[in-house]
Amino acid sequence: MKIFKGILASPGIAIGNAYVLNRFRLSVVERVIDRAEVKGETMRFMAAVESARGKMIQSIGAGVKNLTENLRDILHPHLQLLNDPTLIDQSVFTIERELKNAEWALKTTYDNLAQRFERIRDPYFKERVHDIEAVVDKVMHELMGRKEEGLESLTEPVVVFAHDLTPFDTAQMSSKHVLGFVTETGGKTSHTGIIASSLRIPAVIGIPKITKGVQTGDPVIIDALTGVVLVNPTDHQFQIYNRKRQQFFYHDRELEKESKLPAATLDGKTVTIMMNIESSHDIHTGSKHGAEGIGLYRTEFLFVRDNRLPDEEEQYEDYRKVAESIAPHAAIIRTLDLGGDKVSGDFVEEPEDNPALGLRAIRYCLRNPAVFRAQLRAILRASVHGNLKVMFPMVSSIEEIRRAQNLMASSMRELKKEKVPFNRDIEVGMMIETPSAALMAEQFAQYVDFFSIGTNDLIQYLLAIDRGNQKVAHLYQPLNPAVIRLLHMVIKAANQNNVAVSVCGKMSADPLYAYLLLGMGDVEALSMEPHSIPKVKKFIRGISLYDARKHVQKILQLQHVRDIKKYLIANISPLLTEGMFSELTVED
Ligand code: PEP
Ligand code: MG
């Protein structure tokens, strides 16, 4: 029996036999061609591209029943990659000018692109190289007349183990045949992770060399509630996990049934529970899970999806759809949080040594006022179609918020002159996700209508721990006393200065962290990824705010993460009912 530990990508428990997807790399031979061969070689290359395109369209079609909007958004850019001048023209160029065979030309183009991606630090964009790899692989198989091993031929339910899964593999997954999956690569922001959770297939990712530790046919268990994978488990473990799986299904269904009930505490305070979205397509799922508005719309995904700047009109249409679909609830549109090395194409800036500390978010927008203005105008125009609010990310000084507001005011003046309707009283807020913004919360309160605390970045910047770096992941501690003190300070400052405060970082989605946050003061809303909503709502219905405040006062006296964790596990985790899991109660 072997046990592996990975990253949770999509919750659930899967029990079954392993199917190891072995994708061997095709070895490519370099061959110099004759001038007379150039035309034929180019045609062979283009025919392979066309054939790959045909198969990709077919596989999107085959997976059509499963295709969530999210997945569609991911697959279509894949098809577009086959029109990408860098990929296609560069390969043709190598055939024509360097007189190389088509396979070698394609490999050289890919190697060059991959080198460029190597320099990208942002994990989300870095991982996009796998999308290009998947497409190149398809064309290469066509060129060499080889068949790619895929999931389309699965006839029995299995647990898939793979180095990585392309979005095409996942498009072919139906929950009937794929009970769950485990991959070697992938971080929390990888497409594999995003897709797994939208298909609701249990998945654990990021276990290096797992495909060497398991063979097709081995009995396996994936516990995607704690991130554990068991290969060849004992009978006793089978029994335990079978029970755990039944409980999970049962509790998930039960939680779902109550997800429309408000999150009102035992002592009568109602907390608004909202959803974080990356695309307007996520709204439907979030609403089904009981979301009462959108607490964070990460609009950068709208910008990076097609790797170009959407114009004001396109953005207006999107924000209008968001406003209308969520009305009468509110939607907080966060202005662009990208910059530095995050994207190529229209956005290109010089690569930065420290992109997390570089020209990103509000800094990027203030440096590119035309981009910023188009987004502000689009939000303002859409604001008459529902209850839209606007929020600025990564603010670290009063000057920034003033400059952003000046641009907002001038966009309003323009629209007024153009006689275009907009909501003059639109609420304007900021994220508190830099230590400087947190320390100056009292002063910032004079300038904005609301704060939304971004704990993901606030923890990263406060503790100086890169949130995407596996090597220091154990030091990324929401329970570090410095984090707790700073959060407490911000919530108090907001309350004392009558500015609404919410939390939209990942801490909101964990019941025990949510308990701490609510005990720190008057927190109006918690915003989280949709599938955590039913759990957090139910948890809040079982707690008293009065007690939470008393516990927070005691926790504020503690100096060690370990003591705070122990305190929460001893005193608060008994409030978790079955099916509600917290990362604090997971054994390491
Ligand atoms: C955060 O930093 O907590 C946050 C919600 O923003 P993002 O995760 O998009 O950086
Ligand atoms: Mg952030």
Side-chain angles (χ1 to χ4, degrees), residues 296 298 300 334 337 431 433 454-457 467 504-505:
L296 169 66
R298 294 181 160 107
E300 51 278 11
R334 177 173 79 182
D337 186 2
M431 292 201 62
E433 52 183 351
T455 52
N456 306 344
D457 276 319
R467 71 193 244 198
C504 64

Side-chain angles (χ1 to χ4, degrees), residues 160-171:
V160 174
F161 286 74
H163 174 67
D164 192 14
L165 290 171
T166 69
F168 290 96
D169 296 320
T170 17

Side-chain angles (χ1 to χ4, degrees), residues 412-420 422:
M412 283 186 173
R413 280 197 299 276
E414 276 171 23
L415 291 172
K416 199 168 155 203
K417 234 199 230 151
E418 295 163 24
K419 301 206 172 10
V420 178
F422 63 92

